[in-house]
Amino acid sequence: MPPAIWKLPVVLILASFLLAGCWDMKEINQLAIVNLIGVDTHKNTDKQELYYQVINPKGIATQAGAPEKATVYTYRFIGRLGDQFEDISPDVIPRQLFTQHYQAIVVSERYAKSGLRELLNFKEGHPERGTNVYLLVSDAPIDRIMDSFIPLEPLPGRSMRSIIENQSEMTGRISTHTRMKDLIENMETGQISVFPIITYIGEKSSENSNRLEHIQGTNGNIALLGGALFIHDRMVGKLTKDEMKWYNLLNRKHERFLETLVINGESVQVKTLNTRLMKKLELHGEELILHIQIFANTNLIFNDQKVPTTTTLFNQIEAEFNQRIQKESQRFIEDSRKKGWDVLGIQYLLHLKKGAQWKRLAEDKDRWKKVKVVISSHNKIETIGSLISPYKGE
């Protein structure tokens, strides 16, 4: 083989290392980076209102001592999901939409009640749009949510994400299993999904970045209101903030649970860590029984007792806490049954069982309403504060 022939491939390979690694690379100043998306039903039409909240890099990079600048801009479009928004957004936004890293998607309550199947298909059916983002429902007008600057957090989308993750870590009211993909997973099985409902505190939106110069942090802010309960792709009801923590506990959606007890007429607050839950569905003759066992390590985080913290007091707190869990869980389950909500996913558990008898039971779509639920709680206090004998101030 002539030397020139075998040298040619070597030269081509070496030259390839000089080529740019990203052929489709775009400069950041060419992109409109979306941080938050909002969707609502357009009044009197079958179209939707789509809101893109786009990051303003110059607003984020404001120098210390300089006046506050708008960190985001909100763009509103009216059209049909999937067949118009891609066409009309370049008419207004002078940069290319970049939606791969937005923090959350907020839908209005009326849109959630009409069903989210079209939205899910719109998000899942495009390679640059995913469903691994948090889903929230707003009871306030969606434009009020999307057109407001939020204290402390320059990006409202990140603020909503922090609300979810902080509540999951601190109180157990919200689970991090509240992403769009979680709704998709439960749609086909018919299992219930619960997503946070947020509201806006104030009569009008905070559209001007001067709002960030005001010391009052509550008004003009976003707050957790409760939970939106979905069956398939449609919102069918609401849970209070207190009901949300029982739902999450009974379905092991988190490992934290915060509860305040009254012992000897004084307040005691406990918080569980590493919560473990076991469900077992059994058939005794024709009676179905679902056994739920809850195990957790418990921290005593506030104790207003007037007596020293002794083993006797520990046992009293543990007993009261376990009884509270059993009693309030049963109450939540019964209240949900009256509303037609299978909050424990019993019907789905029936379908997972093997055998002709289980199959016959699963064919009864209302069988879950007749299942007896037995709950047992086994929480042990493991950590307390450094104060053993309380200060009496006498």
Side-chain angles (χ1 to χ4, degrees):
M1 178 182 296
I5 296 178
W6 67 263
K7 289 181 180 179
L8 181 60
V10 176
V11 173
L12 292 175
I13 292 173
L14 293 175
S16 67
F17 290 105
L18 302 176
L19 298 175
C22 299
W23 292 89
D24 60 346
M25 183 185 68
K26 294 182 177 64
E27 297 292 338
I28 191 171
N29 59 7
Q30 295 177 309
L31 300 175
I33 302 174
V34 177
N35 181 252
L36 180 65
I37 293 177
V39 186
D40 194 4
T41 300
H42 188 242
K43 293 181 180 180
N44 304 321
T45 71
D46 59 350
K47 298 181 179 181
Q48 291 83 36
E49 296 178 7
L50 185 64
Y51 295 79
Y52 287 123
Q53 199 170 86
V54 176
I55 296 174
N56 175 22
K58 292 182 179 179
I60 296 293
T62 300
Q63 297 293 323
E68 293 281 357
K69 293 183 179 180
T71 54
V72 291
Y73 296 112
T74 299
Y75 295 88
R76 172 178 175 265
F77 304 99
I78 299 174
R80 293 181 182 277
L81 287 174
D83 62 0
Q84 289 188 13
F85 291 117
E86 296 287 345
D87 296 333
I88 61 179
S89 58
D91 296 342
V92 181
I93 302 178
R95 298 183 181 183
Q96 183 174 339
L97 274 178
F98 184 81
T99 59
Q100 283 91 325
H101 298 298
Y102 65 99
Q103 303 289 314
I105 184 165
V106 185
V107 299
S108 67
E109 188 174 318
R110 64 182 176 184
Y111 185 64
K113 289 179 177 178
S114 70
L116 302 184
R117 187 178 302 273
E118 187 178 7
L119 174 64
L120 295 172
N121 289 334
F122 171 67
K123 301 302 292 181
E124 190 79 341
H126 194 286
E128 295 184 358
R129 296 188 294 261
T131 54
N132 191 29
V133 293
Y134 290 118
L135 174 66
L136 304 97
V137 178
S138 172
D139 85 320
I142 199 74
D143 57 341
R144 193 172 298 176
I145 296 289
M146 298 300 298
D147 292 343
S148 293
F149 290 100
I150 305 300
L152 287 183
E153 181 54 69
L155 302 178
R158 191 185 298 166
S159 176
M160 294 179 193
R161 177 173 179 168
S162 297
I163 287 175
I164 292 173
E165 294 176 350
N166 289 340
Q167 286 278 0
S168 176
E169 178 68 23
M170 297 170 63
T171 69
R173 288 174 178 162
I174 303 181
S175 165
T176 53
H177 298 281
T178 53
R179 302 175 188 267
M180 293 184 71
K181 68 175 184 178
D182 298 305
L183 179 59
I184 293 173
E185 290 174 1
N186 291 334
M187 274 176 57
E188 302 305 323
T189 63
Q191 292 187 85
I192 280 175
S193 303
V194 175
F195 296 89
I197 297 178
I198 57 173
T199 190
Y200 182 81
I201 304 173
E203 297 180 356
K204 59 181 181 178
S205 56
S206 304
E207 300 178 352
N208 197 309
S209 61
N210 291 337
R211 182 263 180 276
L212 303 176
E213 295 293 323
H214 292 268
I215 193 172
Q216 224 295 336
T218 302
N219 289 331
N221 208 341
I222 293 170
L224 174 68
L225 186 64
L229 190 144
F230 283 76
I231 297 179
H232 297 295
D233 68 320
R234 196 178 303 272
M235 177 181 169
V236 298
K238 295 181 181 181
L239 298 180
T240 65
K241 287 188 289 187
D242 191 61
E243 289 173 330
M244 287 177 69
K245 69 180 183 183
W246 295 110
Y247 169 80
N248 289 328
L249 175 68
L250 293 171
N251 291 280
R252 202 183 179 279
K253 296 292 185 179
H254 57 62
E255 296 184 349
R256 302 287 190 269
F257 184 84
L258 184 68
E259 184 71 354
T260 300
L261 310 171
V262 177
I263 307 292
N264 302 321
E266 304 295 342
S267 295
V268 173
Q269 195 170 53
V270 291
K271 181 179 181 179
T272 66
L273 303 173
N274 304 318
T275 305
R276 303 172 300 284
L277 184 138
M278 296 175 58
K279 287 183 180 180
K280 187 176 182 181
L281 186 60
E282 296 179 338
L283 181 61
H284 297 274
E286 287 297 315
E287 184 182 30
L288 283 167
I289 301 177
L290 177 62
H291 294 276
I292 300 177
Q293 295 190 72
I294 301 170
F295 304 87
N297 305 325
T298 305
N299 287 354
L300 182 60
I301 60 175
F302 176 73
N303 181 14
D304 201 27
Q305 300 293 301
K306 301 299 188 293
V307 296
T309 307
T310 62
T311 302
T312 301
L313 181 60
F314 280 175
N315 294 336
Q316 189 177 2
I317 294 173
E318 288 173 354
E320 177 65 25
F321 187 32
N322 287 323
Q323 289 176 14
R324 170 70 64 85
I325 287 177
Q326 293 165 190
K327 179 181 178 181
E328 293 301 320
S329 294
Q330 290 285 5
R331 178 183 299 179
F332 170 65
I333 293 168
E334 291 306 313
D335 289 345
S336 299
R337 276 183 173 174
K338 293 175 183 178
K339 298 174 183 177
W341 302 340
D342 181 12
V343 292
L344 298 177
I346 297 175
Q347 197 68 29
Y348 179 67
L349 294 177
L350 280 171
H351 282 286
L352 295 179
K353 291 288 188 178
K354 304 296 183 181
Q357 189 174 13
W358 287 105
K359 183 178 180 181
R360 177 177 57 83
L361 292 170
E363 289 174 352
D364 180 1
K365 301 302 181 183
D366 292 326
R367 188 71 191 188
W368 64 270
K369 298 179 181 178
K370 307 167 188 175
V371 175
K372 180 180 179 181
V373 180
V374 178
I375 299 173
S376 57
S377 177
H378 314 275
N379 289 287
K380 293 290 184 181
I381 295 177
E382 294 200 349
T383 59
I384 62 173
S386 59
L387 183 64
I388 303 300
S389 296
Y391 300 121
K392 298 181 180 179
E394 298 177 355

Coordinates of all heavy atoms in Angstrom, one line a residue, residues 26 30-39 50-55 75 77 81 85-86 89 93 95-105 119 122-134 161 180:
K26 N -25.8 27.0 21.1 CA -26.3 28.3 20.9 C -25.8 29.2 22.1 O -25.7 28.7 23.2 CB -27.8 28.2 21.0 CG -28.5 27.5 19.8 CD -30.0 27.5 19.8 CE -30.6 26.9 18.6 NZ -30.2 25.4 18.5
Q30 N -28.9 34.1 22.8 CA -29.8 33.7 21.7 C -31.0 33.0 22.3 O -32.0 32.7 21.5 CB -29.1 32.8 20.7 CG -27.9 33.4 20.0 CD -27.2 32.4 19.1 OE1 -26.9 31.3 19.5 NE2 -27.1 32.8 17.8
L31 N -31.0 32.7 23.6 CA -32.1 31.9 24.2 C -33.0 32.6 25.1 O -32.5 33.6 25.8 CB -31.4 30.7 25.0 CG -30.5 29.7 24.2 CD1 -29.9 28.7 25.1 CD2 -31.3 29.0 23.1
A32 N -34.2 32.3 25.1 CA -35.2 32.8 26.1 C -35.4 31.6 27.1 O -36.2 30.7 26.8 CB -36.5 33.2 25.4
I33 N -34.7 31.6 28.2 CA -34.7 30.5 29.1 C -35.9 30.6 30.0 O -36.1 31.5 30.7 CB -33.4 30.5 30.0 CG1 -32.2 30.4 29.1 CG2 -33.4 29.4 31.0 CD1 -30.9 30.6 29.8
V34 N -36.8 29.6 29.9 CA -38.1 29.6 30.6 C -37.9 29.0 32.0 O -37.3 27.9 32.1 CB -39.1 28.8 29.8 CG1 -40.4 28.7 30.6 CG2 -39.3 29.4 28.4
N35 N -38.4 29.7 33.0 CA -38.2 29.3 34.4 C -39.6 28.8 34.9 O -39.6 27.9 35.8 CB -37.7 30.5 35.2 CG -37.6 30.1 36.7 OD1 -38.3 30.5 37.5 ND2 -36.6 29.3 37.0
L36 N -40.7 29.2 34.4 CA -42.0 28.8 34.9 C -43.0 28.9 33.8 O -42.9 29.8 32.9 CB -42.4 29.8 36.0 CG -43.8 29.5 36.7 CD1 -43.8 28.2 37.4 CD2 -44.1 30.7 37.6
I37 N -43.9 27.9 33.7 CA -45.0 27.9 32.7 C -46.3 27.9 33.4 O -46.5 27.2 34.4 CB -44.8 26.6 31.8 CG1 -43.5 26.7 31.0 CG2 -46.0 26.4 30.9 CD1 -43.3 25.5 30.1
G38 N -47.3 28.6 32.8 CA -48.6 28.6 33.3 C -49.6 28.3 32.2 O -49.4 28.7 31.1
V39 N -50.7 27.6 32.6 CA -51.7 27.2 31.6 C -53.1 27.5 32.2 O -53.3 27.1 33.3 CB -51.6 25.7 31.2 CG1 -52.6 25.4 30.0 CG2 -50.2 25.4 30.7
L50 N -51.4 30.2 27.4 CA -50.1 29.7 27.8 C -49.2 30.9 28.2 O -49.0 31.8 27.5 CB -49.5 28.9 26.7 CG -48.2 28.2 27.0 CD1 -48.4 27.1 28.1 CD2 -47.6 27.5 25.7
Y51 N -48.6 30.7 29.4 CA -47.7 31.8 29.9 C -46.3 31.2 30.0 O -46.1 30.1 30.6 CB -48.1 32.2 31.3 CG -49.5 32.9 31.4 CD1 -50.7 32.1 31.4 CD2 -49.6 34.3 31.5 CE1 -51.9 32.8 31.4 CE2 -50.8 34.9 31.6 CZ -52.0 34.1 31.5 OH -53.2 34.7 31.6
Y52 N -45.3 31.9 29.4 CA -43.9 31.6 29.6 C -43.3 32.7 30.4 O -43.3 33.9 30.1 CB -43.2 31.5 28.2 CG -43.6 30.3 27.4 CD1 -44.1 30.5 26.1 CD2 -43.3 29.0 27.9 CE1 -44.4 29.4 25.3 CE2 -43.6 27.9 27.1 CZ -44.1 28.1 25.8 OH -44.4 27.0 25.0
Q53 N -42.7 32.3 31.5 CA -41.9 33.3 32.4 C -40.5 33.1 32.0 O -39.9 32.0 32.4 CB -42.2 33.1 33.8 CG -41.8 34.3 34.7 CD -42.3 34.1 36.1 OE1 -41.7 33.5 36.9 NE2 -43.5 34.7 36.4
V54 N -39.9 34.1 31.4 CA -38.5 34.0 30.8 C -37.5 34.7 31.7 O -37.8 35.8 32.2 CB -38.5 34.5 29.4 CG1 -37.1 34.5 28.8 CG2 -39.4 33.7 28.5
I55 N -36.4 34.1 32.0 CA -35.4 34.7 32.8 C -34.7 35.9 32.1 O -34.4 35.8 30.9 CB -34.3 33.7 33.2 CG1 -34.9 32.6 34.1 CG2 -33.1 34.4 34.0 CD1 -34.0 31.5 34.4
Y75 N -44.6 36.2 29.2 CA -45.3 36.3 27.9 C -46.5 35.4 27.9 O -46.5 34.3 28.3 CB -44.3 35.8 26.8 CG -43.1 36.7 26.6 CD1 -41.9 36.5 27.4 CD2 -43.1 37.8 25.7 CE1 -40.8 37.3 27.3 CE2 -41.9 38.6 25.6 CZ -40.8 38.3 26.3 OH -39.7 39.1 26.2
F77 N -49.8 33.9 25.6 CA -50.2 33.5 24.2 C -51.6 32.8 24.3 O -51.9 32.1 25.3 CB -49.2 32.6 23.5 CG -47.8 33.2 23.5 CD1 -46.9 32.8 24.4 CD2 -47.5 34.1 22.5 CE1 -45.6 33.3 24.3 CE2 -46.2 34.6 22.4 CZ -45.3 34.2 23.3
L81 N -52.8 24.0 22.3 CA -51.6 23.3 22.7 C -51.1 22.4 21.5 O -51.9 21.6 20.9 CB -51.9 22.4 23.9 CG -52.0 23.1 25.2 CD1 -52.4 22.1 26.3 CD2 -50.8 23.8 25.6
F85 N -48.7 27.3 19.5 CA -47.8 28.1 20.3 C -46.4 28.1 19.7 O -45.7 29.1 19.9 CB -47.8 27.5 21.7 CG -49.0 27.7 22.5 CD1 -49.8 26.7 22.9 CD2 -49.4 29.0 22.7 CE1 -51.0 26.9 23.6 CE2 -50.6 29.3 23.4 CZ -51.4 28.2 23.9
E86 N -46.0 27.0 19.0 CA -44.7 27.0 18.4 C -44.6 28.1 17.3 O -43.5 28.6 16.9 CB -44.4 25.6 17.8 CG -44.3 24.5 18.9 CD -43.0 24.6 19.7 OE1 -42.1 25.4 19.3 OE2 -42.9 24.0 20.8
S89 N -45.1 32.1 19.2 CA -44.1 32.6 20.2 C -43.0 33.4 19.5 O -42.6 34.5 20.1 CB -43.5 31.5 21.0 OG -42.9 30.5 20.2
I93 N -41.4 37.0 21.1 CA -40.2 36.7 21.9 C -39.0 36.8 20.9 O -38.9 36.0 20.0 CB -40.2 35.4 22.6 CG1 -41.4 35.3 23.5 CG2 -38.9 35.1 23.4 CD1 -41.5 34.0 24.3
R95 N -36.1 35.8 21.1 CA -35.0 34.8 21.2 C -35.7 33.4 21.1 O -36.9 33.3 21.2 CB -34.4 34.9 22.6 CG -33.6 36.2 22.8 CD -32.9 36.2 24.1 NE -32.2 37.5 24.4 CZ -31.5 37.8 25.4 NH1 -31.3 36.9 26.4 NH2 -30.8 38.9 25.5
Q96 N -34.9 32.4 21.0 CA -35.4 31.0 20.8 C -35.8 30.5 22.2 O -35.0 30.5 23.1 CB -34.4 30.2 20.1 CG -34.9 28.7 19.9 CD -33.9 27.9 19.1 OE1 -33.0 28.5 18.4 NE2 -34.0 26.6 19.2
L97 N -37.0 30.0 22.3 CA -37.5 29.4 23.5 C -36.6 28.2 24.0 O -36.4 27.3 23.2 CB -39.0 29.0 23.4 CG -40.0 30.0 23.7 CD1 -41.4 29.4 23.4 CD2 -39.9 30.6 25.1
F98 N -36.3 28.2 25.2 CA -35.5 27.1 25.8 C -36.2 26.6 27.0 O -36.2 27.3 28.1 CB -34.1 27.6 26.2 CG -33.2 26.5 26.7 CD1 -32.5 25.7 25.8 CD2 -33.0 26.3 28.0 CE1 -31.7 24.7 26.2 CE2 -32.1 25.3 28.5 CZ -31.5 24.5 27.6
T99 N -36.9 25.5 26.9 CA -37.8 25.0 28.0 C -37.3 23.7 28.7 O -38.0 23.1 29.4 CB -39.2 24.7 27.4 OG1 -39.1 23.7 26.4 CG2 -39.8 26.0 26.8
Q100 N -36.0 23.4 28.5 CA -35.5 22.1 29.1 C -35.4 22.2 30.6 O -35.4 21.2 31.2 CB -34.2 21.7 28.5 CG -34.3 21.1 27.1 CD -34.2 22.2 26.0 OE1 -34.7 23.3 26.2 NE2 -33.6 21.8 24.9
H101 N -35.2 23.4 31.2 CA -34.9 23.5 32.6 C -35.8 24.4 33.4 O -35.4 25.0 34.4 CB -33.4 24.0 32.7 CG -32.4 23.2 32.1 ND1 -32.2 21.9 32.5 CD2 -31.6 23.4 31.1 CE1 -31.2 21.3 31.8 NE2 -30.8 22.2 30.9
Y102 N -37.1 24.4 33.0 CA -38.0 25.2 33.8 C -38.3 24.4 35.1 O -38.3 23.2 35.2 CB -39.3 25.5 33.0 CG -40.2 24.4 32.6 CD1 -41.3 24.1 33.4 CD2 -39.9 23.6 31.5 CE1 -42.1 23.0 33.0 CE2 -40.7 22.6 31.1 CZ -41.8 22.3 31.8 OH -42.7 21.3 31.5
Q103 N -38.7 25.2 36.1 CA -38.8 24.7 37.5 C -40.1 24.0 37.8 O -40.2 23.0 38.5 CB -38.5 25.8 38.5 CG -37.2 26.5 38.4 CD -36.0 25.6 38.8 OE1 -36.1 24.9 39.8 NE2 -35.0 25.5 38.0
A104 N -41.2 24.6 37.2 CA -42.5 24.1 37.6 C -43.5 24.5 36.5 O -43.2 25.4 35.7 CB -43.0 24.6 38.9
I105 N -44.7 23.9 36.5 CA -45.8 24.3 35.7 C -47.0 24.5 36.6 O -47.3 23.7 37.4 CB -46.0 23.3 34.6 CG1 -47.1 23.8 33.6 CG2 -46.4 21.9 35.1 CD1 -47.2 23.0 32.3
L119 N -52.5 18.6 27.8 CA -51.3 19.2 28.2 C -50.2 18.1 28.4 O -49.1 18.4 28.0 CB -51.5 19.9 29.6 CG -50.3 20.5 30.3 CD1 -49.7 21.6 29.4 CD2 -50.7 21.0 31.6
F122 N -48.9 17.1 25.1 CA -48.2 18.3 24.5 C -46.7 18.3 25.1 O -45.8 18.4 24.4 CB -48.9 19.6 24.8 CG -48.1 20.8 24.5 CD1 -47.8 21.1 23.2 CD2 -47.7 21.7 25.5 CE1 -47.1 22.3 22.9 CE2 -47.0 22.8 25.2 CZ -46.7 23.1 23.9
K123 N -46.6 18.1 26.4 CA -45.3 18.1 27.1 C -44.5 16.9 26.8 O -43.3 16.9 26.6 CB -45.5 18.3 28.6 CG -46.2 19.5 29.0 CD -45.6 20.8 28.5 CE -44.2 21.0 29.1 NZ -43.6 22.3 28.6
E124 N -45.2 15.7 26.8 CA -44.4 14.4 26.7 C -44.1 14.1 25.2 O -43.1 13.4 25.0 CB -45.3 13.3 27.2 CG -44.6 12.0 27.4 CD -43.7 11.9 28.6 OE1 -43.3 12.9 29.2 OE2 -43.4 10.8 29.0
G125 N -44.8 14.7 24.3 CA -44.6 14.3 22.9 C -43.5 15.1 22.2 O -43.4 15.0 20.9
H126 N -42.7 15.9 22.9 CA -41.7 16.7 22.2 C -40.4 16.4 22.9 O -40.3 16.4 24.1 CB -42.0 18.2 22.4 CG -41.2 19.1 21.5 ND1 -39.9 19.4 21.7 CD2 -41.5 19.7 20.3 CE1 -39.4 20.2 20.8 NE2 -40.4 20.4 19.9
P127 N -39.3 16.2 22.2 CA -38.0 15.8 22.8 C -37.4 16.9 23.7 O -36.6 16.6 24.6 CB -37.1 15.6 21.6 CG -37.7 16.3 20.4 CD -39.2 16.3 20.7
E128 N -37.8 18.2 23.5 CA -37.3 19.2 24.3 C -38.2 19.6 25.5 O -37.9 20.6 26.2 CB -37.0 20.5 23.5 CG -35.9 20.2 22.4 CD -35.5 21.5 21.7 OE1 -36.2 22.5 21.9 OE2 -34.6 21.4 20.8
R129 N -39.3 18.9 25.6 CA -40.2 19.2 26.7 C -40.4 18.0 27.5 O -40.8 16.9 27.0 CB -41.6 19.7 26.2 CG -41.5 21.0 25.4 CD -42.9 21.5 25.1 NE -43.6 20.6 24.2 CZ -43.8 20.8 22.9 NH1 -43.2 21.9 22.4 NH2 -44.4 20.0 22.1
G130 N -40.2 18.0 28.8 CA -40.3 16.8 29.6 C -41.4 17.0 30.7 O -42.0 18.0 30.8
T131 N -41.6 15.9 31.4 CA -42.6 15.9 32.5 C -42.0 15.7 33.8 O -42.7 15.5 34.8 CB -43.7 14.8 32.2 OG1 -43.0 13.6 32.0 CG2 -44.5 15.1 30.9
N132 N -40.7 15.8 33.9 CA -40.1 15.6 35.2 C -40.0 17.0 36.0 O -38.9 17.4 36.4 CB -38.7 15.0 35.0 CG -38.0 14.6 36.3 OD1 -38.7 14.2 37.3 ND2 -36.7 14.7 36.4
V133 N -41.1 17.7 36.0 CA -41.2 19.0 36.7 C -42.4 19.0 37.6 O -43.3 18.2 37.4 CB -41.3 20.1 35.7 CG1 -40.0 20.3 34.9 CG2 -42.5 19.9 34.8
Y134 N -42.3 19.9 38.6 CA -43.4 19.9 39.6 C -44.7 20.5 38.9 O -44.6 21.5 38.1 CB -43.0 20.8 40.8 CG -42.0 20.1 41.6 CD1 -40.7 20.7 41.8 CD2 -42.2 18.9 42.3 CE1 -39.7 20.0 42.6 CE2 -41.3 18.3 43.1 CZ -40.0 18.8 43.2 OH -39.1 18.2 44.0
R161 N -40.7 25.7 43.6 CA -40.0 24.4 43.8 C -39.5 24.3 45.3 O -39.6 23.3 45.9 CB -38.9 24.3 42.9 CG -38.0 23.1 43.1 CD -37.0 23.0 42.0 NE -36.1 21.8 42.2 CZ -35.3 21.3 41.3 NH1 -35.2 21.9 40.1 NH2 -34.6 20.2 41.5
M180 N -45.3 16.1 37.0 CA -46.2 15.7 35.9 C -46.1 14.2 35.6 O -47.1 13.5 35.3 CB -45.9 16.5 34.7 CG -46.3 18.0 34.8 SD -46.0 18.9 33.3 CE -47.4 18.3 32.3

